[in-house]
Amino acid sequence: MKIWLCAVNSLTGEPGGGVRTIIEMVARTRLDCVIGSTAGMRQSVAEAAWHARSRKAFGSTLSNQPLMQAVLADLQLESEAATWTMMHLAAAHDDETADGKAFRRIATALAKYWICKRGPGHAYEALECLGGNGYVEDFPLARRYREQPVLAVWEGSGNVIVLDVLRAMGKDPRSAKQLLIFFESALGQNAIYDAHYQSLATETRQALAAVTSQDASAGAQLQQRGRVLVEKLAVMLQAAVLLWHAPAEITDAFILARLSDQRGMQYGALPDGVATDALIARA
């Protein structure tokens, strides 16, 4: 049997716009990575909550013990933010207006960086809720923990994505401006968000000035702090999406836990005022 292969050379974009065309194609696959990481978070928190509701220790189920409740609520909060952001981003990929394309150019990279990077840590914390059983290869969360890093590396690992965000700001400043416009559209609903926006907007405009200038020193300094800026923008993106779409108890909890001065460094280190019961009920 003979198999004949033929290649047809055809333009998929305008002449001279090869890199831009490739980036648009990659953005779709990056959205796939966001979807995969988000689905993994949902599985992780569902497995952890199911176990906690069934496992008894010290006279009551784990899900009724305050420390475990804080962890489960935080895991669910991360899953909620990823899910709402993923859905908003998917809708943005159907928007073929110039503003829509500019927004998704940078928003996709931000979401890919942050949500996919949060995936492995989220899976690990959910795995820990099951104790030793969570680590055993026969259990779903051990496989989920092994799978999540693939989505963080695929279509651009951390440094690649950060450089791409900076590139988008330099080559297409409209993308960063559309992002700020989206942030502005959510103002007036939460005081913590509003205060956070003011400082981040200033920082973003300064980054825009640096990346579009010919100053190599300023560009190098910006690149060194690139991950810090991208992280701030990504979390702010999630907060804005939640303000637009999510129930108030989810939105308020996320902003308090992720943007306020009370935010913790580990899952379960929730500040006072987070409605854990409402979050666990959704897990």
Side-chain angles (χ1 to χ4, degrees):
M1 173 189 275
K2 292 184 179 180
I3 299 176
W4 296 90
L5 301 175
C6 66
V8 178
N9 293 324
S10 59
L11 287 173
T12 58
E14 294 298 323
V19 173
R20 179 182 292 274
T21 302
I22 291 171
I23 289 296
E24 290 178 359
M25 295 166 62
V26 166
R28 298 282 182 170
T29 315
R30 286 177 176 172
L31 175 61
D32 292 340
C33 293
V34 172
I35 294 171
S37 292
T38 300
M41 287 183 183
R42 180 69 194 110
Q43 180 193 13
S44 294
V45 72
E47 292 280 352
W50 180 86
H51 175 81
R53 291 180 178 122
S54 306
R55 178 81 165 96
K56 286 188 176 181
F58 306 108
S60 66
T61 59
L62 292 179
S63 61
N64 287 327
Q65 299 186 26
L67 192 54
M68 180 60 78
Q69 288 177 338
V71 172
L72 292 175
D74 212 355
L75 289 172
Q76 179 63 19
L77 190 59
E78 193 74 38
S79 176
E80 293 278 354
T83 301
W84 289 101
T85 302
M86 177 268 290
M87 295 296 289
H88 185 90
L89 195 58
H93 275 261
D94 288 333
D95 185 352
E96 292 302 320
T97 65
D99 289 347
K101 290 180 179 180
F103 170 78
R104 73 179 184 232
R105 168 68 182 90
I106 193 169
T108 302
L110 292 172
K112 199 280 180 188
Y113 175 86
W114 185 242
I115 292 175
C116 295
K117 268 199 174 300
R118 296 288 280 179
H122 185 275
Y124 166 74
E125 195 65 52
L127 176 157
E128 195 174 275
C129 291
L130 277 67
N133 282 340
Y135 187 74
V136 176
E137 288 293 323
D138 291 340
F139 276 65
L141 287 183
R143 297 194 295 272
R144 173 52 48 198
Y145 181 57
R146 189 171 62 249
E147 181 70 16
Q148 287 290 56
V150 175
L151 297 164
V153 175
W154 192 255
E155 289 297 6
S157 55
N159 284 353
V160 173
I161 297 296
V162 171
L163 290 174
D164 188 49
V165 170
L166 297 181
R167 183 181 186 278
M169 295 173 72
K171 296 290 185 180
D172 186 11
R174 184 176 188 174
S175 62
K177 292 174 182 176
Q178 285 300 314
L179 185 68
L180 288 178
I181 288 172
F182 179 65
F183 291 168
E184 290 169 2
S185 70
L187 290 172
Q189 303 179 65
N190 185 287
I192 297 174
Y193 176 91
D194 292 357
H196 202 74
Y197 166 79
Q198 298 302 328
S199 60
L200 184 56
T202 299
E203 190 173 347
T204 303
R205 294 187 181 103
Q206 290 172 345
L208 265 174
V211 81
T212 54
S213 72
Q214 301 299 317
D215 187 341
S217 177
Q221 287 182 341
L222 176 61
Q223 191 177 127
Q224 282 184 335
R225 289 186 52 79
R227 285 192 176 218
V228 177
L229 176 62
V230 168
E231 177 180 326
K232 290 179 179 179
L233 290 172
V235 176
M236 194 68 170
L237 173 64
Q238 290 187 312
V241 168
L242 291 174
L243 281 167
W244 264 102
H245 302 294
E249 63 268 20
I250 303 299
T251 305
D252 293 342
F254 180 85
I255 292 174
L256 187 60
R258 300 294 189 265
L259 294 183
S260 76
D261 294 335
Q262 302 178 57
R263 60 184 180 274
M265 298 298 292
Q266 296 289 342
Y267 286 111
L270 290 172
D272 294 336
V274 172
T276 56
D277 290 345
L279 286 164
I280 294 172
R282 297 171 65 94

